[in-house]
Amino acid sequence: MTSTNPTLDLAGGATAPPAGRRPAKRSSYRAAETRRKWYEIIGLTTPAVIVYVMFVLVPIGFAFYYSLFRWRGVGPPTDYVGFDNYVLAFQDPIFLDALRNNAIIVFGSLLIQGPIALGVALLLNRSFRGRTLFRLLAFVPYVLAEVTVGIMWKLLLSDAGTLNALMEAVGLGGLVQAWLADLDIVIWTLLFVLTWKYVGFAIILLLAGLSNVPQELNEAAAIDGASWWQTQRHITLPLLGPTIRIWMFLSMIGSLQVFDIIWVTSVPAVRSLGASATMATYMVDNGFFARLWGYGNAVAVILFVISFVAALIFQRFLLRRDIQGAVTGRAK
């Protein structure tokens, strides 16, 4: 007698279900999993996207819109001038001086803070008594508020400040300078202040990178007869490369957008001549205090474009290898 149950064979044993049922269930399960993942992605990213659009993209759009008008902040903008504000900015020698000062700060920060931070980090990475205290002291300037640092150094470096008084007291009166008023040296004075403030961040970042260097590699190099300098050069520095590049990127963008320390420390009269101005301080001076809101927005857009292009170039040529190494593809 033949069984009428399609899932039983002649011997009464179980057989596979008819063809087509299991693949259909599997396909519907995969579709449900895909939908669930997309719901999770949308739910998690939507708040961040909304915040990003409202507080980044929308302000950028408004800044570009207002930059096309000659507007003093009263009533709706009606005097359309197109790109005249951008042309006026690049024709202003004070703005060109601000661009030059930003370039000095960018390259000065990389060339001065980098070697200092690397050397101090390598020393603080070794075991010795008081290492924790020295690490703390190196990081203290960075945690101080920018306004506090600016006021402190302004009091120290003013014409009748502590530094000049100390030099005269020890017989070094010939070295007394108008550190914040001399048009030739004020930008270098501000670069020193910025280095004192931010080198601690670079030190801590590099120390974090050094903590990820396997100690076994240093021990193996020592067994092979490598000196401390050879170990740092051929093992530590190559492995520290990604951390150094990340610090360079952060330092570059921060130097392009620097404002608070420059604003507080510099003398307004000197800044108005361009000797200590940066693009950010120039934007505030001309946009907020001179009430040239359209012109100030044009400067803000120029600053954004320069920072954005610099970030893209840096990522394309220096961070590309690190980013590619951090992204894992699906095994084929």
Side-chain angles (χ1 to χ4, degrees):
M1 181 177 179
T2 305
S3 173
T4 59
N5 189 340
T7 62
L8 299 177
D9 58 10
L10 294 177
T15 61
R21 289 188 182 179
R22 184 172 298 173
K25 291 182 179 180
R26 187 176 302 170
S27 177
S28 62
Y29 174 76
R30 289 178 177 174
E33 281 292 310
T34 301
R35 287 194 298 270
R36 183 181 64 82
K37 290 180 180 179
W38 276 109
Y39 292 152
E40 291 178 354
I41 293 173
I42 294 173
L44 293 173
T45 59
T46 297
V49 171
I50 293 175
V51 171
Y52 182 78
V53 170
M54 291 181 60
F55 294 99
V56 177
L57 297 184
V58 171
I60 291 173
F62 273 111
F64 178 73
Y65 172 75
Y66 288 127
S67 71
L68 303 177
F69 295 85
R70 185 177 290 112
W71 183 49
R72 289 188 172 272
V74 179
T78 57
D79 189 4
Y80 179 79
V81 296
F83 291 94
D84 286 355
N85 285 327
Y86 296 91
V87 176
L88 290 174
F90 285 103
Q91 290 178 345
D92 186 0
I94 306 300
F95 178 72
L96 298 180
D97 287 340
L99 277 174
R100 180 206 61 192
N101 292 337
N102 273 114
I104 291 174
I105 293 173
V106 169
F107 290 103
S109 298
L110 295 176
L111 296 177
I112 297 175
Q113 291 184 34
I116 293 176
L118 182 60
V120 173
L122 290 175
L123 291 176
L124 294 180
N125 194 48
R126 308 180 71 176
S127 298
F128 60 90
R129 180 173 297 182
R131 182 178 66 169
T132 303
L133 176 62
F134 282 104
R135 286 187 175 187
L136 178 63
L137 293 176
F139 194 61
V140 163
Y142 180 71
V143 301
L144 294 177
E146 280 77 3
V147 174
T148 302
V149 172
I151 294 175
M152 179 186 71
W153 280 105
K154 191 169 188 176
L155 294 174
L156 289 172
L157 298 174
S158 62
D159 292 347
T162 306
L163 180 60
N164 285 342
L166 181 61
M167 286 185 174
E168 291 179 353
V170 298
L172 297 177
L175 299 179
V176 170
Q177 300 286 337
W179 304 103
L180 298 177
D182 191 324
L183 302 183
D184 295 327
I185 66 174
V186 60
I187 187 61
W188 305 107
T189 303
L190 295 175
L191 180 60
F192 168 80
V193 174
L194 291 170
T195 300
W196 181 88
K197 162 68 176 170
Y198 292 109
V199 72
F201 172 73
I203 293 172
I204 295 299
L205 196 64
L206 294 177
L207 283 173
L210 288 171
S211 66
N212 294 323
V213 176
Q215 189 63 29
E216 294 80 3
L217 296 179
N218 295 331
E219 294 173 355
I223 293 174
D224 290 339
S227 64
W228 181 85
W229 168 246
Q230 290 174 329
T231 302
Q232 307 310 312
R233 179 183 177 185
H234 297 288
I235 296 178
T236 304
L237 291 182
L239 294 177
L240 200 58
T243 304
I244 294 175
R245 287 187 286 272
I246 290 295
W247 167 79
M248 291 175 62
F249 177 79
L250 296 176
S251 177
M252 177 186 68
I253 298 301
S255 298
L256 287 173
Q257 301 176 355
V258 64
F259 168 76
D260 32 26
I261 291 184
I262 303 295
W263 182 266
V264 175
T265 309
S266 61
V267 179
V270 177
R271 190 174 64 242
S272 65
L273 297 175
S276 59
T278 63
M279 286 185 288
T281 62
Y282 180 87
M283 174 188 66
V284 174
D285 276 326
N286 289 273
F288 186 80
F289 289 101
R291 300 191 65 81
L292 301 175
W293 297 105
Y295 185 72
N297 278 285
V299 176
V301 172
I302 293 173
L303 174 58
F304 166 75
V305 171
I306 292 175
S307 301
F308 185 71
V309 171
L312 288 180
I313 293 175
F314 194 92
Q315 179 177 331
R316 174 65 177 82
F317 293 101
L318 293 178
L319 291 181
R320 182 180 181 183
R321 181 177 59 182
D322 301 330
I323 294 175
Q324 289 178 344
V327 178
T328 57
R330 184 175 61 181
K332 297 182 179 180

